[in-house]
Amino acid sequence: MNRIFRFGGLLAALLWLAPLTGLHAQTAPSIGPTQLIKVKTKKSKKDELVTIHVTQGDAALGDIKILLYDQTPQHKANFLQKAKSGYYNGTTFHRVIPNFMIQGGDANSKNDDPNDDGLGQPSDPTIPAEIVPELKHQRGAVAAARQGDYVNPQRASSSSQFYIVQNVTGTPHLDNHYTVFGLVVQGQAVVDKIAAVPTTGPDRPVTPVRMKFEVKKLSKKKIMQEYGFQY
């Protein structure tokens, strides 16, 4: 049976911030206060391309290039702020499931204790859900992890942890349950590499897969020509 179905029956628990070895393996951390991000509303002819440089040990796995949707302004502003500030540098993809998704972005994954990866901090803020029906969980979709509906009925997002859909046909069962806020426009093969690395429980790479972020401002015209991204 494909590993994706081992979470069957508890859709809301699929992307807990806590790593899972079973349906009730750990208690999810408490949800922090809601964080409202200041968003610039002025239209621009430029946008910001996010590049994730991925390494495992001494080996470079490649780059993942991401563009973020204007339809999810809170998530876009938050992700860009963290990417520019260096918050994500040194964090890992701490949870990878082949034919499903790869998840990372927890600041805890910078330390030497693998047991707190994915737990986040109790005081970490959340971002209000920005679930846009036309933004689907297609292959390469970038979305925000969150706690399950039973403790988070508003479906507020983690302010740091995100996941990238790796399944070739997408994960449509997650549509309208989690905020999709971006798309991989280059480097999906790197996502596939990450999903295929050897793991130990719960779905944690044996050798940490680390990230370093770079943000570059480009004209939207060049972005559309180079990456086929539509505004």
Side-chain angles (χ1 to χ4, degrees), residues 30 135 189:
S30 59
L135 300 181

Side-chain angles (χ1 to χ4, degrees), residues 26-106:
Q26 289 183 314
T27 301
S30 59
I31 298 174
T34 297
Q35 179 182 30
L36 294 175
I37 311 296
K38 291 184 179 180
V39 179
K40 293 181 180 179
T41 56
K42 183 179 179 181
K43 288 189 176 181
S44 173
K45 292 183 179 180
K46 293 187 176 183
D47 202 356
E48 292 173 286
L49 177 73
V50 178
T51 300
I52 307 176
H53 305 290
V54 185
T55 58
Q56 187 176 37
D58 296 327
L61 296 186
D63 294 342
I64 302 170
K65 295 185 182 292
I66 293 171
L67 285 163
L68 308 173
Y69 294 119
D70 290 333
Q71 297 99 309
T72 54
Q74 293 274 317
H75 286 72
K76 180 172 184 174
N78 175 74
F79 195 76
L80 286 174
Q81 186 276 325
K82 283 183 167 55
K84 292 175 183 178
S85 70
Y87 178 96
Y88 284 128
N89 293 345
T91 62
T92 73
F93 284 104
H94 63 269
R95 184 170 176 235
V96 305
I97 304 177
N99 300 315
F100 185 20
M101 60 92 217
I102 61 174
Q103 181 177 338
D106 181 14

Side-chain angles (χ1 to χ4, degrees), residues 56-217:
Q56 187 176 37
D58 296 327
L61 296 186
D63 294 342
I64 302 170
K65 295 185 182 292
I66 293 171
L67 285 163
L68 308 173
Y69 294 119
D70 290 333
Q71 297 99 309
T72 54
Q74 293 274 317
H75 286 72
K76 180 172 184 174
N78 175 74
F79 195 76
L80 286 174
Q81 186 276 325
K82 283 183 167 55
K84 292 175 183 178
S85 70
Y87 178 96
Y88 284 128
N89 293 345
T91 62
T92 73
F93 284 104
H94 63 269
R95 184 170 176 235
V96 305
I97 304 177
N99 300 315
F100 185 20
M101 60 92 217
I102 61 174
Q103 181 177 338
D106 181 14
N108 288 345
S109 64
K110 294 182 182 182
N111 65 31
D112 295 327
D113 180 8
N115 296 311
D116 64 0
D117 291 358
L119 291 175
Q121 297 295 315
S123 60
D124 281 349
T126 59
I127 302 174
E130 294 181 298
I131 296 173
V132 180
E134 59 263 31
L135 300 181
K136 305 295 187 182
H137 278 79
Q138 63 182 293
R139 175 170 165 84
V142 181
R146 67 174 179 84
Q147 292 181 309
D149 287 358
Y150 56 96
V151 292
N152 179 25
Q154 297 83 13
R155 296 176 174 172
S157 300
S158 164
S159 62
S160 62
Q161 294 189 54
F162 63 95
Y163 60 97
I164 301 174
V165 176
Q166 187 263 333
N167 191 288
V168 293
T169 59
T171 55
H173 56 289
L174 300 182
D175 289 345
N176 302 314
H177 292 275
Y178 297 82
T179 296
V180 174
F181 64 91
L183 181 69
V184 173
V185 294
Q186 191 177 93
Q188 186 65 27
V190 179
V191 177
D192 293 339
K193 281 185 190 179
I194 297 167
V197 301
T199 59
T200 184
D203 304 310
R204 182 183 290 108
V206 174
T207 302
V209 178
R210 298 200 178 274
M211 302 179 242
K212 184 177 180 181
F213 276 59
E214 179 184 353
V215 180
K216 186 176 182 180
K217 188 169 284 190

